[in-house]
Amino acid sequence: MELLDVTTTPAWSALLAVERPASLRYLFDADPDRGRRMVVECADLRIDWSKHLVDDDVVAALLAVARAAGVEAHRDAMLRGDRINTTEGRSVLHTALRLPRDATLVVDGVDVVAEVHAVLDSMGAFAERVRADERITDVVNIGIGGSDLGPAMAARALAADAHPRIRTHFVSNVDGADITATLAGLEPAATLFVVSSKTFTTIETLTNARTARAWLTAALGDAAVAEHFVAVSTNAEQVAAFGIDTANMFGFWDWVGGRYSVDSAIGLSLMISIGPDRFRELLDGFHAVDEHFRTAPLEANAPVLLAMLGVWYVDVLGWRSKAVLPYAQELARFPAYLQQLDMESNGKSVRRDGTPVTAGTGPVVWGEPGTNGQHAFYQLLHQGTQVVPVDMIGFAHPHHPHRHHHDLLVANLLAQAEALAFGRANELEPHRHFPGGRPSTMILADRLTPSVLGQLIALYEHIVFVQGVVWGINSFDQWGVELGKELANRITPELTGETAVGGHDSSTTALIEWYRERRLSG
Ligand code: F6P
């Protein structure tokens, strides 16, 4: 698709020129209905965006920018399978992973929906076998990045649906402390390893998988690998080279980006935990939001509205950090998941054609569950010199029986949004002055079900997509992770003494020598 620089359009100039609302207090006083009017329903999510520093003129200007950037045309191009990941020459079809069985989507002459459901069926059959096999009590997913964060986050989020016998573990870090701690509590004969790697070349994952295999075979012999190891990958050749029979491999496709893959076979460990039926509900939740994104007019399109609010903050108000604050302990890993989704997608400085970006791009994303964060960093959110827009997520019903805890939790959720927005003036005691004017999105749902989790993930996927379109970047590559990997490969043999230290700056050379001396002297 044609690459337009939206910052050269009249819509962008109009956005920069639009009058900025004085305060949230002023906006609410001027429109008593604001708190009900500026709410968008997106599948089962109730999204209150009234506590954002925008009025109708700003929203109109933001939506004009979205239109000028061609958000709708780009969305349609993604959904039909155009090769919008131009630097890697790939389609971007994570939305096809959740199309219903009776849908069809033909890309390059292949019905991808049929392929997706064939894999889902074989995952389902395998998951049921494991769930019925009394000998297996522990499943260890070995992967990193998109091959870890999605299933790890979701398995924790959906712990209420977990199989009572099966414990699910996630090993990602090449730091041996990770796998050592995980294996310490496990029985080889009762453990299934799921090695998850799109490329099957990722050093962290292969190193952990080799260590796990050595641990297993030391106890049960080489023949046990066939029964205790399965792989999830797009790279059958490397899976076979590692020693896993490709009959025990679950595949996916190059059109699924790592950080968009939790709903592909990368979700196998999650599916074993929650079962194929709940996994299907998760996919249906994703699909419901995909349909909303595809069909809702921009004025009522949740991902578009939230994405454009982000553009307002990053590019007009200069607020380049964003916190995600789930008021649900089960979503403890959701901020980390969103860090990869957003920052690996939109942390870019060049546009799709390689020219420099002409606006600020992806914000720094971070967060912790409430109420823990309140006793850590909310001080800065309320009174710091930088404004950090926040997303708050909460539920009407908990999965535990302690309603009193939940009432307190929800009271804190609502109180924090109110305090951030409206503050409290105290001219006499400046230290106790709360300026307010700090925006938040409030995302509520009845309870955290698999479907609602799918809805939440899809919502953020599409927010990231829309922002990438506005900024003219390719949200689906990640070249920025390559250089560090390459240098680490060079430094490893220098640390062990296999190769001489050379070709580095004086700092790096001295650091390598520091480690090497200590390593060699034991
Ligand atoms: O961090 C870079 C990255 O390529 C991510 O995009 C990806 O999710 C992760 O590494 C893991 O890659 P793989 O699934 O190929 O092991």
Side-chain angles (χ1 to χ4, degrees), residues 38-349:
M38 295 174 102
V39 173
V40 57
E41 304 280 343
C42 172
D44 299 320
L45 308 176
R46 179 192 194 274
I47 305 173
D48 176 344
W49 56 285
S50 63
K51 293 194 190 77
H52 280 284
L53 266 173
V54 292
D55 58 16
D56 291 347
D57 290 344
V58 175
V59 175
L62 286 167
L63 293 179
V65 166
R67 288 201 170 86
V71 162
E72 288 154 299
H74 281 84
R75 172 197 64 196
D76 296 344
M78 173 175 73
L79 295 177
R80 71 173 171 255
D82 288 10
R83 291 180 192 277
I84 62 167
N85 176 355
T86 44
T87 59
E88 296 178 324
R90 295 173 182 169
S91 305
V92 174
L93 275 175
H94 44 276
T95 48
L97 297 169
R98 50 261 194 162
L99 281 171
R101 195 179 285 277
D102 57 4
T104 6
L105 178 63
V106 178
V107 178
D108 295 335
V110 176
D111 180 6
V112 295
V113 184
E115 293 199 342
V116 163
H117 281 271
V119 174
L120 280 172
D121 288 345
S122 61
M123 287 167 65
F126 179 74
E128 291 291 25
R129 254 198 350 261
V130 176
R131 288 163 65 84
D133 185 343
E134 299 282 338
R135 291 169 304 173
I136 300 295
T137 57
D138 293 90
V139 173
V140 182
N141 184 84
I142 299 178
I144 197 164
S147 300
D148 165 74
L149 285 163
M153 176 277 289
R156 185 159 181 176
L158 303 177
D161 293 297
H163 190 286
R165 191 191 68 248
I166 296 171
R167 292 176 298 180
T168 313
H169 312 264
F170 293 87
V171 173
S172 54
N173 200 332
V174 77
D175 184 339
D178 199 1
I179 191 143
T180 305
T182 303
L183 296 181
L186 303 185
E187 271 299 319
T191 303
L192 172 73
F193 292 98
V194 178
V195 186
S196 298
S197 174
K198 180 175 172 182
T199 56
F200 232 78
T201 57
T202 305
I203 192 84
E204 290 92 338
T205 300
L206 293 186
T207 305
N208 279 320
R210 284 190 197 104
T211 301
R213 185 174 57 190
W215 174 84
L216 181 90
T217 57
L220 304 178
D222 287 346
V225 172
E227 251 193 84
H228 290 267
F229 269 79
V230 295
V232 178
S233 187
T234 58
N235 192 341
E237 212 174 294
Q238 289 298 325
V239 168
F242 178 83
I244 296 178
D245 187 341
T246 49
N248 296 329
M249 167 181 156
F250 298 86
F252 57 114
W253 306 270
D254 71 356
W255 41 259
V256 183
R259 53 194 174 273
Y260 298 86
S261 66
V262 59
D263 46 348
S264 71
I266 289 291
L268 182 63
S269 52
L270 172 67
M271 188 195 266
I272 294 170
S273 173
I274 64 173
D277 292 345
R278 298 286 91 75
F279 196 83
R280 182 72 252 167
E281 289 169 22
L282 175 85
L283 298 183
D284 290 346
F286 273 99
H287 182 62
V289 171
D290 295 342
E291 283 300 283
H292 169 97
F293 180 48
R294 186 174 71 81
T295 58
L298 298 196
E299 289 72 15
N301 195 306
V304 173
L305 284 169
L306 298 184
M308 297 314 296
L309 290 169
V311 169
W312 173 244
Y313 294 134
V314 167
D315 291 316
V316 184
L317 301 189
W319 299 342
R320 307 184 94 175
S321 167
K322 161 178 168 164
V324 180
L325 311 170
Y327 278 68
Q329 190 65 20
E330 300 97 310
L331 286 177
R333 295 292 285 159
F334 197 52
Y337 174 79
L338 293 183
Q339 279 179 330
Q340 189 199 15
L341 179 65
D342 201 328
M343 294 166 78
E344 199 166 78
S345 296
N346 285 347
K348 313 266 164 82
S349 303

